[in-house]
């Protein structure tokens, strides 16, 4: 199964953009990249996902390199509530039978 | 709908005892997943149900672990003869036909003493 590699921790100033990188060099052509975050003592929360095109929603933007070996999650204006562990995930499987392969995540700390 | 719920939230048990956890998915979701998360690690996939059928089990799910989803609604995860290495957060997630997003519950934290 494809694996992801993320830096263990990052700091970001409140109000600034947080850019969280992820390497997934062994990803296969039909495997999606997902991002979830986990705030202490809660279950992971979905943020965004993509296959090969860049994606944007109300929470974040996802930039995937053309070779799909890496991606970056962008939180455009980080707030203190964005402090969490961010997981870059490869979704494997087919036709609704999916599972997530989580990495160890990046602990993002937003500083006032 | 209030999302995925899990009970109990915390469980402390002695080594060798059996424990059972319950997960209630979002009501219209037909897919249900169990994950295990140890301290400092990301969640690891354990097993997956579509309706009442258990379609995949991880190698992590030893013979002491069993999961059921008898009527395609709630699910239970049982661990027999618990060991200290079973101490972890057990997470349940569900998804519907728009299967790209899994909704996670708050987890059950198991401590084996």
């Amino acid at each position: 199964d494809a694996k992801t590699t993320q830096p263990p921790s990052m700091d970001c100033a409140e109000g600034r953009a947080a850019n969280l990188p992820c390497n997934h060099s062994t990803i296969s052509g039909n495997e999606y990249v997902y991002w979830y975050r986990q705030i202490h003592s809660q279950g992971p929360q979905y943020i965004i996902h993509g296959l090969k095109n860049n994606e944007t929603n109300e929470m974040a933007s996802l930039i995937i390199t053309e070779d799909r070996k890496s991606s970056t999650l962008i939180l455009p204006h980080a707030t203190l509530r964005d402090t969490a562990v961010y997981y870059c995930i490869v979704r494997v499987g087919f036709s609704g039978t999916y599972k997530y392969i989580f990495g160890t995540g990046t602990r993002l700390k937003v500083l006032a | 709908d209030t999302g995925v719920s899990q009970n109990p939230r915390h469980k402390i048990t002695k080594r060798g005892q059996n424990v059972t956890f319950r997960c209630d998915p979002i009501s219209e979701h037909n897919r249900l997943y169990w994950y295990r998360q140890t301290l400092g690690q990301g969640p690891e996939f354990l097993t997956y149900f579509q309706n009442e059928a258990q379609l995949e089990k991880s190698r992590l799910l030893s013979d002491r672990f069993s999961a059921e989803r008898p009527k395609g609604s709630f699910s239970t995860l049982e661990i027999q003869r618990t060991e200290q290495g079973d101490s972890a957060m057990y997470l349940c997630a569900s998804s519907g036909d728009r299967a790209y997003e899994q909704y996670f519950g708050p987890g059950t934290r198991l401590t084996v003493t």
Side-chain angles (χ1 to χ4, degrees):
Chain A
D1 289 335
K3 289 184 168 48
T4 62
T5 305
Q6 301 175 251
S9 64
M10 293 180 65
D11 291 341
C12 177
E14 188 178 19
R16 303 298 294 268
N19 296 280
L20 290 87
C22 178
N23 286 325
H24 31 78
S25 58
T26 60
I27 196 169
S28 298
N30 60 348
E31 291 174 344
Y32 281 73
V33 176
Y34 278 69
W35 284 82
Y36 274 68
R37 72 181 183 185
Q38 188 172 28
I39 297 171
H40 184 60
S41 298
Q42 297 182 20
Q45 175 193 20
Y46 168 82
I47 301 173
I48 199 167
H49 76 286
L51 183 62
K52 52 185 177 182
N53 297 321
N54 297 337
E55 303 287 345
T56 295
N57 63 19
E58 65 277 4
M59 288 183 70
S61 295
L62 174 61
I63 309 298
I64 302 174
T65 58
E66 194 168 341
D67 63 8
R68 301 207 330 118
K69 292 184 185 300
S70 65
S71 60
T72 301
L73 177 74
I74 301 171
L75 307 178
H77 305 287
T79 70
L80 298 178
R81 287 178 296 180
D82 292 323
T83 293
V85 178
Y86 287 76
Y87 291 102
C88 172
I89 297 160
V90 172
R91 189 192 76 178
V92 301
F94 60 94
S95 191
T97 308
Y98 301 119
K99 64 181 180 184
Y100 290 161
I101 308 297
F102 283 78
T104 52
T106 295
R107 186 172 297 275
L108 176 69
K109 189 173 183 180
V110 180
L111 306 172
Chain B
D1 188 274
T2 57
V4 178
S5 62
Q6 293 186 246
N7 288 288
R9 293 292 309 277
H10 303 274
K11 178 71 177 178
I12 300 173
T13 192
K14 292 185 177 178
R15 189 175 51 193
Q17 298 293 305
N18 298 345
V19 293
T20 300
F21 310 140
R22 176 176 169 128
C23 170
D24 287 89
I26 294 172
S27 58
E28 65 269 23
H29 284 181
N30 58 351
R31 298 175 177 90
L32 188 146
Y33 310 79
W34 285 98
Y35 292 83
R36 181 174 70 185
Q37 185 174 25
T38 54
L39 202 61
Q41 302 297 313
E44 296 172 291
F45 170 82
L46 292 179
T47 191
Y48 157 71
F49 289 86
Q50 183 159 333
N51 300 312
E52 65 275 10
Q54 187 173 20
L55 297 185
E56 187 171 352
K57 291 170 61 173
S58 163
R59 288 189 299 269
L60 294 174
L61 218 61
S62 75
D63 292 343
R64 296 185 297 105
F65 288 71
S66 62
E68 293 183 343
R69 193 182 183 199
K71 297 181 180 179
S73 56
F74 72 92
S75 175
T76 58
L77 178 67
E78 181 182 17
I79 308 174
Q80 296 182 327
R81 304 181 304 281
T82 53
E83 301 172 355
Q84 286 189 317
D86 297 331
S87 294
M89 175 77 83
Y90 290 85
L91 291 161
C92 174
S94 70
S95 68
D97 288 334
R98 201 177 71 174
Y100 65 80
E101 182 177 352
Q102 292 183 18
Y103 293 81
F104 283 81
T108 295
R109 182 169 295 285
L110 173 67
T111 302
V112 182
T113 62

